[in-house]
Amino acid sequence: MISVKIGVKRPRGVILATVVFLSGCTTVEFWPRPLTVPDQARPWPQPDQPGEMDLNGVRESLLTFHNRARAEKKRPSVEVDEALQEAAQRHAEEMAGREKMTHTGADGSSVADRVEEFGYRYRRCGENIAYGHYSPELVMRGWLTSPPHRKNILGGFSQIGLGYATAKDGTPYWCVTFGLPAGP
């Protein structure tokens, strides 16, 4: 992330456009550098203001970014599972409705409880959550800068569910569930 300190007064739009252009947050192709980061914690990227985002587009982008990060570390790709997708979407909507980012549901549920509720049988499951005005690219970069989140992204999971919802005030809430299904 590029930090710009400007001592001269300039129109905000010009400054914002310059920072957005320099930081490369417009498209994946604009960022030739790898998604993954060194194995140390780093600060989260600064929020951007992406505006309205389509749920299917968000999901597609997040799946692409997860598999790109996994490929960079020579990990197998993950595929979408409908039960994990439903659990992630419901939790994102609940967090947005409560305007609170938390791994614990309003009913006290954990990620394991939520995926089981949708019939997912697992050997292992996990969850990454976030909130704020982030594009899919920046929320993914944020998760990759955090060792516990990166561990989920690159971990021993084969399936994924992707959720995104917006609170009344416009704040986006993100939830990704990970699973390794139980054997037959």
Side-chain angles (χ1 to χ4, degrees):
M1 181 70 187
I2 297 173
S3 178
V4 178
K5 187 172 185 176
I6 300 173
V8 194
K9 289 192 175 190
R10 296 180 190 254
R12 284 187 188 183
V14 172
I15 294 169
L16 179 60
T18 303
V19 171
V20 168
F21 176 75
L22 291 175
S23 66
C25 66
T26 56
T27 65
V28 177
E29 291 76 26
F30 198 87
W31 285 342
R33 64 186 185 262
L35 276 171
T36 52
V37 296
D39 293 335
Q40 66 219 26
R42 296 235 177 121
W44 270 68
Q46 292 297 311
D48 59 355
Q49 299 272 338
E52 288 293 314
M53 292 188 283
D54 169 66
L55 176 59
N56 290 328
V58 166
R59 286 177 169 168
E60 186 178 310
S61 293
L62 284 176
L63 179 62
T64 298
F65 290 136
H66 277 81
N67 282 329
R68 180 175 160 193
R70 291 174 67 86
E72 287 173 6
K73 294 295 186 177
K74 309 225 182 312
R75 304 283 199 279
S77 62
V78 290
E79 61 184 33
V80 172
D81 176 83
E82 286 304 314
L84 292 175
Q85 190 97 306
E86 289 293 326
Q89 186 60 37
R90 180 181 286 175
H91 192 57
E93 290 171 0
E94 181 189 293
M95 289 189 300
R98 293 169 60 195
E99 296 184 353
K100 180 179 182 181
M101 184 183 79
T102 177
H103 286 286
T104 305
D107 60 357
S109 63
S110 67
V111 61
D113 298 326
R114 290 188 291 274
V115 300
E116 285 175 346
E117 180 182 341
F118 287 98
Y120 190 79
R121 293 183 51 233
Y122 62 89
R123 281 188 272 175
R124 180 180 314 121
C125 69
E127 176 179 76
N128 285 351
I129 58 173
Y131 81 105
H133 292 283
Y134 296 96
S135 62
E137 295 92 341
L138 284 183
V139 79
M140 188 69 185
R141 286 193 185 280
W143 282 330
L144 287 168
T145 64
S146 161
H149 293 98
R150 185 174 53 249
K151 184 178 178 182
N152 278 345
I153 292 166
L154 302 176
F157 299 109
S158 61
Q159 298 178 326
I160 194 170
L162 308 147
Y164 169 82
T166 306
K168 288 180 184 176
D169 68 358
T171 303
Y173 285 79
W174 310 79
C175 181
V176 175
T177 54
F178 301 90
L180 181 63

